[in-house]
Amino acid sequence: MDNWPHKHILNLSCFSQEDFQMVLKLADRFNTAKYSGENKVCALEGFLVTTIFFEASTRTRNSFELAAKRLSAYVQSFSPSSSSLKKGETFMDTALTYSAMGSDILVVRHSSSNVPFEISKKLDLKNSKTSVLNAGDGLQSHPSQGLLDLYTLTKFFSNSIIDPFILKGKKILIIGDVLHSRVARSDIWALTAFGVNIVLCGPSTLVPDELENFVNCPSPPQQKDPVKSRGTIKVTRSLENAIENADGIIVLRLQKERMSKNMLRSVNSYSKEFCLTLEKLKRNKRDIPILHPGPINRGIEISSKIVDDYKNCLIEEQVSNGVSVRMALLYLLSKSQSTLK
Ligand code: CP
């Protein structure tokens, strides 16, 4: 695990298959160790991990903080409502302040795309040792969620050894508000890297046809895709057929807070057509896995019956896998820092 090549973790578009495999293998080791309560390992002793969330979060923030504590790091967190943001301080000056306090890793979430990237660029220009881990930026990227979804699906289809190539050729259906979803974008980078064929389904306002070309244009400044051959992406409007042929489904939250006017006729009409219910799921004759990154809107994009009663609804497993995946990411960044020191 000593050859982790990234100082920052910003986007899964620059991950090679080896990078993904390294994260999953390590996450699985942390996962099977079953940490609980005070039970910890000392891998990050002496490291300071700071969570800077400019946008709300339950799962990501708390699981990063738990992951850091389980690795014996010192954890510091930032609360926008009681911070000097209120006095006009910028996000950049906030990040530089925490770096100046000696943070080894900044875990950053922001409602605007590229903020974690901008922070990492500034820190590098200042020759800072601080790493930046993107915990969700705007519509662009949520790498730890993409990785935990890859891990959760790999575990579901594996007998014992964790190898994401087990997903090759599988059809994973993503339903809903793809346009506003950084989770969907990170899931697509992670899953297509192992030959998964993605089907996107939703109204054209939320699932534009152009998304079929999404992996053909990595965001600047990245020039080259490190994965030679990826799975495909198809857009469909026919949910029933898509469900029938799916090997797994990821349901997305309808992000009403990010929508402009007229994107939907009404939430009710959206739910009637696209909310995943047991009735609609009956089109598929197998017990396929159902994922949702959370937070869920019961009855809008997914029914309570699926969340509470369907045996392969993996939402809680995603949450618990998230801690192990985030332990792996913090551990790998700490190793790359030791190499740079
Ligand atoms: N999935 C996810 O990012 O959830 P939070 O917004 O609660 O962190």
Side-chain angles (χ1 to χ4, degrees), residues 270-281:
Y270 173 85
S271 297
K272 206 168 162 197
E273 199 172 346
F274 294 107
C275 178
L276 188 65
T277 59
L278 282 178
E279 211 166 50
K280 290 190 184 117
L281 193 56

Side-chain angles (χ1 to χ4, degrees), residues 3 5 27 31 62 107 110 115 146 153 160 173 179 181 184 234 258 270 276 291 312 317 334 340:
N3 49 352
N31 205 30
N62 286 292
V107 182
H110 201 283
V115 164
L153 282 167
S160 53
L173 168 62
L179 183 71
S181 178
K234 289 269 170 272
R258 294 194 207 269
Y270 173 85
L276 188 65
L291 284 73
N312 288 337
E317 197 171 325
S334 76
L340 294 169

Side-chain angles (χ1 to χ4, degrees), residues 171-173 241-249 284 286 288:
K171 273 200 185 114
I172 300 295
L173 168 62
N241 283 345
I243 288 176
E244 193 173 331
N245 296 315
D247 295 301
I249 299 179
N284 191 298
R286 294 158 294 150
I288 59 172

